[in-house]
Amino acid sequence: MTIRVNAPQSGGGGPVGAPHPLFFDAARRTRQTGAMDAIRHYFLAQLAEQEAEAARHLGDSYWTDSRTGRNVGLDELQAIGAMKTIALDPRPGEEDAHIYLSRLLADLDDVANRFRAAAPDPDGYGIATIGTVARRLAAFGSDPSVRFRSAP
């Protein structure tokens, strides 16, 4: 009787206990893609939530400045429009979810700086909207337990 130590697995997959290195790479890419999809979906959910809040503000005269006559919902919608310009598809070199998240946060910071410089935001609600999305996205990326809770 002969026993082969490196007998192939059923299906010809190679020696027992020695999975192909590309298997680990493919599994890692799948996890990273899933994580990046979760980040993208969370970001879009935050925009939708902020848009709904802006719509509520627009429908309530309480949120209209008596001095200027401007409703803060307009500033919030402008900020949301600015955030919607951020490219959500991963760029070359962003195969890692942390790199992707860092880039999105940097893009949000750029949007905030441009918004401060260009948009009329007398009460600060527009810039606060961008800050809220950025803080929540950063928390989502840093705390795994946040990923399974609804937005604050």
Side-chain angles (χ1 to χ4, degrees):
M1 178 166 154
T2 306
I3 299 175
R4 292 181 54 192
V5 176
N6 288 329
Q9 298 175 356
S10 62
V16 175
H20 196 280
L22 289 179
F23 169 80
F24 292 111
D25 191 44
R28 181 185 172 284
R29 276 197 315 275
T30 300
R31 279 192 309 277
Q32 291 300 319
T33 300
M36 287 187 286
D37 284 346
I39 291 166
R40 179 179 24 256
H41 290 295
Y42 189 80
F43 177 76
L44 291 171
Q46 292 305 304
L47 292 183
E49 184 177 320
Q50 294 301 313
E51 206 161 19
E53 184 171 342
R56 285 190 302 274
H57 290 165
L58 284 170
D60 185 348
S61 63
Y62 174 82
W63 297 100
T64 301
D65 187 307
S66 61
R67 182 178 43 86
T68 64
R70 185 169 177 88
N71 186 295
V72 300
L74 295 172
D75 302 323
E76 293 166 329
L77 287 176
Q78 260 189 320
I80 293 161
M83 288 186 283
K84 285 182 176 181
T85 66
I86 294 173
L88 296 180
D89 289 335
R91 295 177 184 160
E94 289 182 345
E95 290 82 18
D96 181 88
H98 293 290
I99 294 169
Y100 175 69
L101 177 62
S102 294
R103 194 262 301 166
L104 286 180
L105 291 170
D107 287 353
L108 277 170
D109 193 44
D110 290 344
V111 165
N113 289 331
R114 286 193 311 273
F115 188 83
R116 273 188 207 97
D121 188 19
D123 298 306
Y125 280 86
I127 197 66
T129 299
I130 296 170
T132 296
V133 171
R135 279 189 309 282
R136 289 179 180 177
L137 191 60
F140 180 80
S142 66
D143 182 1
S145 68
V146 172
R147 295 182 194 140
F148 303 105
R149 294 194 312 248
S150 60

